[in-house]
């Protein structure tokens, strides 16, 4: 049997998670190992492994993930100072949890990407 997905378990409450937002389709919780003063993961409630698993049927869901990320950035006071949304996909990106997630990072000045 496949190992349980930690993000599915946080979404369903089987594992503790610092959830900051949840509705019928999307959950957002604080990253356990934050890389910025604000580091939140925004995830679909249904298990999708990565962007590679997304289909046209998920268009609305993908839009919701972005809108919720923006709402959280606003609520947490970083919409004007700025923030970064990151979606790692596959081995070369370093994706370590195989449940699609958007990182919302902010609260300090970040190095330029690729710099
Ligand atoms: P990835 O490297 O796949 O893009 O991001 C996975 C993220 O999940 C990492 O930033 C890591 O710190 C976070 N993470 C791993 N395990 C847990 C966990 O059990 N709980 C929470 N809240 N975050 C986790
Ligand atoms: Zn999952």
């Amino acid at each position: 049997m496949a190992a349980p997905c930690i993000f599915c378990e946080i979404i369903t409450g089987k594992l503790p998670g610092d959830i900051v937002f949840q509705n019928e389709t999307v959950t957002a919780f604080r990253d356990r190992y934050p890389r910025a003063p604000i580091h939140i993961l925004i995830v679909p409630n249904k298990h999708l492994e990565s962007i590679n698993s997304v289909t046209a049927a998920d268009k609305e869901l993908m839009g919701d993930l972005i809108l919720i990320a923006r709402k959280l950035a606003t609520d947490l006071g970083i919409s004007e100072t700025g923030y970064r949304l990151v979606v790692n996909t596959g081995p070369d990106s370093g994706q370590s949890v195989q449940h699609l997630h958007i990182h919302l990072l902010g609260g300090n000045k970040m190095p330029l990407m690729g710099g």
Side-chain angles (χ1 to χ4, degrees), residues 1 12 41-42 47 53-54 65 68-69 73 77 86 93 96 106-107 109:
M1 205 170 84
T12 55
L41 302 170
I42 300 110
H47 183 88
S53 318
V54 170
L65 291 171
I68 289 161
V86 174
S93 74
S96 61
K109 189 96 178 157

Side-chain angles (χ1 to χ4, degrees), residues 60-73 102:
E60 188 176 345
L61 174 62
M62 297 307 292
D64 286 346
L65 291 171
I66 299 284
L67 289 173
I68 289 161
R70 190 189 69 180
K71 176 182 164 31
L72 289 169
I102 299 178

Side-chain angles (χ1 to χ4, degrees), residues 7 31 35 49-50 86-99 101 103:
F7 286 1
D31 197 292
R35 257 58 58 72
E49 276 191 22
S50 75
V86 174
V87 185
N88 291 320
T89 305
D92 278 0
S93 74
Q95 182 180 1
S96 61
V97 176
Q98 310 309 311
H99 182 128
H101 49 282
H103 296 258

